[in-house]
Amino acid sequence: MRKAVYPGSFDPVTLGHLDIIERSARMSDWLIIGVLNNNSKTPLFSVEERVNMLKKMTSHLPNVEVKSFGGLLIDFMRANGADVVIRGLRAITDFEYELQMAQTNRVMAPEIDTVFLTTNLKYSYLSSSIVKEIAYYDGDISEFLAPEIAECVREKMSERKKNG
Ligand code: PNS
């Protein structure tokens, strides 16, 4: 059984992520979406909220599971018996960081390989950070996120602004 992990922050999940999830779910027997629980970053959404949003968006995919993880990705992979990491590559600017992560992970865990999927051209410019910036200034984010997720982002942003 080919078990893969698609790790990320998913703060929030974008249409670009969903495209990678659907395509990688077709290529693996079992796909775990690993949502990073990193205390040193201050995400817009809590890890539980990010996991729940991803569960909702992937409920139509029978071989996809969503879990959070902390610590090293390779430890999460080993604990789940997975040996393929999936990452999306948008542009050449992603390459250096992605190569560094993939090479480092391979030194630490030679049995684990990283597979890169080139993102759909439609989403090659898209990032969660840009979406959050647009939402912060009340711009239209409906082209970038599923409608339910866009609603969550708008709500969260207005809460944030109210509370300073
Ligand atoms: O969506 P992101 O923020 O680009 O995802 C980055 C992620 C979660 C894949 C990366 O930060 C990660 O794997 N973090 C876990 C810690 C780890 O294993 N670090 C060593 C990788 S070289």
Side-chain angles (χ1 to χ4, degrees), residues 7-9 36 41 69 71-74 87 97 101 104-105 108:
S9 304
L36 182 68
K41 279 191 185 176
F69 77 100
L72 290 180
L73 174 62
I74 55 157
R87 291 288 287 171
Y97 170 60
M101 277 204 300
T104 312
N105 283 336
M108 294 189 290

Side-chain angles (χ1 to χ4, degrees), residues 141-160:
I141 51 173
S142 58
E143 289 286 319
F144 314 125
L145 306 177
E148 304 91 310
I149 307 296
E151 197 44 47
C152 294
V153 173
R154 286 187 206 103
E155 266 173 39
K156 186 66 103 179
M157 276 297 175
S158 68
E159 255 172 54
R160 278 273 165 110

